[in-house]
Amino acid sequence: MRVGILTGGGDCSGLNAAVRGVAKSLMHQYGAEVIGIEEGFLGMIEKRTRPLSLEDIDGILDKGGTLLGTSNRANPFDFGGKDVSDQVAEYYNELGLDCIVSMGGDGSMTLCYEMSKKGMNFVGVPKTIDNDLTGTDRTFGFDTAVNIAAESIDRLQTTGKSHKRVMILETMGRYAGWIALHAGVAGAADMILIPEFPYDLDEVVRVIKDNEKKKSYTVIVIAEGATQKGGHMVTDKVGVDAPDPIRLGGVGRFLQTQLEERIDQEVRTTILGHIQRGGAPSPFDRIFATNVGAYAASLVASKRYGRMVTVSNNHLSSVLLEEVAHNTRTVPKDDMSLVGAVSMGVSFGDPNLKVSLSDLKDGDVKMS
Ligand code: F6P
């Protein structure tokens, strides 16, 4: 058995743990040859691969980043304006691979699905700090990112309280609010603004003024993809050479400017950025990524190609890549973190978002 592994798209903590999980399981159980593909699909385009030995994957479980490197600019169907997908399929055959285990987000899964039409076999492993992949309840990298964001909120709480300020923390998460929601709940934020519920500026101002009277300061977590009602997402860069050419960023400062015209309290903004993606994975992500990696090896061993590993109701399973491709999983209204936060008076910037606890029945809400 000869199996390639690649890591594509933005990196996240836990990638090395997952690579180790796949490689060690396949080597230990089947004596498989494992080939590391460098920098995601770029390695397939530029023919940069190397055999992985046990020594290569030793001591990487707790390391951030990815030992294989990654790229979110390598689309074989549009590589510098050229379609090199046939060339990639030829290289796959040249390498004599049975399958490639591809670790990525929705962009990578979409590429795998499209490339599988060229006769290549793939098994997908979901990873992204954004936790926004369809078909799975969780992705590794998310827990570590939430830990970092929650710790940052803890720190903003104490300095915000000391100075009686409005503290805004902008998190990543692209078009989904998972990181902001979980970190906001874990860090006891007063307000959590996420893309799923466009915020009403009057409501944000109302909460701040109310807090000023009650406890003198306010902590707001805002996801980079959040928008004002009737407004647009705030972008940092457009036209990036990547399958998703939009880079979000700056909505925290945008909100700060809006608030400064409406309130007297001082407002400060922190943009967390790539700190959420780097560094050692949390113990949860180490275990989760290892298990997901070993499960991906089982899909390879049983030749269940064209599928991505998923977690559903705490069980490992898999879905067809085509079900994941071109989709995003956002925060649903029946998410318990959302429902719980609303029931405790956390504002999501939408005065119409209400919860009636007495109406909740067993099974109505879902843990995330
Ligand atoms: O998808 C992961 C992610 O970190 C998003 O949360 C963020 O919007 C984006 O990637 C940033 O991408 P880049 O590293 O290219 O700036």
Side-chain angles (χ1 to χ4, degrees), residues 40 64 115 124 191 202 209 224 245 274 284 292 318 367:
M115 287 304 300
M191 218 180 295
D202 289 339
K209 290 197 169 158
E224 62 181 358
H274 290 85
F284 179 92
V292 165
S318 64
M367 290 293 286

Tab-separated table of all heavy atoms in Angstrom, residues 40 64 115 124 191 202 209 224 245 274 284 292 318 367:
chain	number	residue	atom	x	y	z
A	40	GLY	N	0.525	21.125	0.263
A	40	GLY	CA	-0.809	20.848	-0.293
A	40	GLY	C	-0.726	20.474	-1.761
A	40	GLY	O	0.212	19.782	-2.202
A	64	GLY	N	2.742	22.799	16.660
A	64	GLY	CA	1.807	23.546	15.812
A	64	GLY	C	2.242	23.494	14.356
A	64	GLY	O	3.275	22.917	14.027
A	115	MET	N	-10.910	16.685	-8.264
A	115	MET	CA	-9.788	15.885	-8.770
A	115	MET	C	-10.133	14.392	-8.795
A	115	MET	O	-9.560	13.643	-9.586
A	115	MET	CB	-8.531	16.113	-7.909
A	115	MET	CG	-7.850	17.461	-8.090
A	115	MET	SD	-7.354	17.851	-9.789
A	115	MET	CE	-6.229	16.520	-10.165
A	124	GLY	N	-10.732	12.370	2.883
A	124	GLY	CA	-10.634	13.714	3.450
A	124	GLY	C	-10.580	13.679	4.971
A	124	GLY	O	-11.228	12.850	5.617
A	191	MET	N	-21.384	40.723	24.899
A	191	MET	CA	-22.018	40.763	23.587
A	191	MET	C	-21.205	39.898	22.621
A	191	MET	O	-19.971	39.945	22.658
A	191	MET	CB	-22.017	42.202	23.083
A	191	MET	CG	-23.275	42.569	22.355
A	191	MET	SD	-23.220	44.265	21.787
A	191	MET	CE	-23.175	45.137	23.284
A	202	ASP	N	-28.204	50.193	17.162
A	202	ASP	CA	-28.960	50.739	18.305
A	202	ASP	C	-28.934	49.759	19.477
A	202	ASP	O	-28.823	50.160	20.634
A	202	ASP	CB	-30.428	50.987	17.921
A	202	ASP	CG	-30.542	52.172	16.973
A	202	ASP	OD1	-29.607	52.998	16.949
A	202	ASP	OD2	-31.555	52.254	16.247
A	209	LYS	N	-24.688	51.099	27.081
A	209	LYS	CA	-25.155	52.131	28.036
A	209	LYS	C	-25.727	51.481	29.289
A	209	LYS	O	-25.532	51.961	30.402
A	209	LYS	CB	-26.169	53.053	27.354
A	209	LYS	CG	-25.487	53.930	26.302
A	209	LYS	CD	-26.335	55.109	25.891
A	209	LYS	CE	-25.480	56.078	25.065
A	209	LYS	NZ	-26.261	56.957	24.213
A	224	GLU	N	-14.976	37.988	12.561
A	224	GLU	CA	-14.539	38.799	11.412
A	224	GLU	C	-15.602	38.890	10.310
A	224	GLU	O	-15.622	39.843	9.539
A	224	GLU	CB	-13.229	38.252	10.840
A	224	GLU	CG	-13.343	36.828	10.299
A	224	GLU	CD	-12.037	36.270	9.744
A	224	GLU	OE1	-11.025	36.986	9.723
A	224	GLU	OE2	-12.050	35.085	9.324
A	245	PRO	N	-10.836	34.199	-2.738
A	245	PRO	CA	-9.961	35.376	-2.890
A	245	PRO	C	-10.210	36.496	-1.881
A	245	PRO	O	-9.543	37.524	-1.935
A	245	PRO	CB	-10.314	35.867	-4.301
A	245	PRO	CG	-11.710	35.414	-4.527
A	245	PRO	CD	-11.934	34.173	-3.711
A	274	HIS	N	-3.849	35.657	13.357
A	274	HIS	CA	-3.282	34.320	13.176
A	274	HIS	C	-2.783	33.674	14.465
A	274	HIS	O	-2.402	32.498	14.447
A	274	HIS	CB	-2.162	34.381	12.128
A	274	HIS	CG	-2.697	34.630	10.760
A	274	HIS	ND1	-2.966	35.904	10.298
A	274	HIS	CD2	-3.062	33.775	9.770
A	274	HIS	CE1	-3.458	35.821	9.072
A	274	HIS	NE2	-3.521	34.558	8.732
A	284	PHE	N	-7.173	18.372	23.934
A	284	PHE	CA	-8.372	17.885	23.227
A	284	PHE	C	-8.070	17.720	21.741
A	284	PHE	O	-8.373	16.684	21.139
A	284	PHE	CB	-9.549	18.864	23.425
A	284	PHE	CG	-10.788	18.422	22.689
A	284	PHE	CD1	-11.744	17.636	23.312
A	284	PHE	CD2	-11.003	18.784	21.355
A	284	PHE	CE1	-12.884	17.205	22.623
A	284	PHE	CE2	-12.134	18.361	20.658
A	284	PHE	CZ	-13.079	17.573	21.297
A	292	VAL	N	-9.025	11.077	14.567
A	292	VAL	CA	-9.529	11.327	13.210
A	292	VAL	C	-8.521	10.776	12.188
A	292	VAL	O	-8.905	10.166	11.182
A	292	VAL	CB	-9.780	12.849	13.010
A	292	VAL	CG1	-9.952	13.198	11.551
A	292	VAL	CG2	-11.017	13.282	13.794
A	318	SER	N	-18.280	8.889	8.165
A	318	SER	CA	-17.748	9.565	6.975
A	318	SER	C	-18.900	9.972	6.064
A	318	SER	O	-19.983	9.391	6.132
A	318	SER	CB	-16.781	8.645	6.236
A	318	SER	OG	-17.467	7.503	5.758
A	367	MET	N	-25.612	20.307	21.476
A	367	MET	CA	-24.315	20.739	21.993
A	367	MET	C	-23.341	20.880	20.821
A	367	MET	O	-23.392	20.099	19.886
A	367	MET	CB	-23.746	19.710	22.972
A	367	MET	CG	-24.466	19.609	24.284
A	367	MET	SD	-24.290	21.106	25.273
A	367	MET	CE	-22.588	20.959	25.821
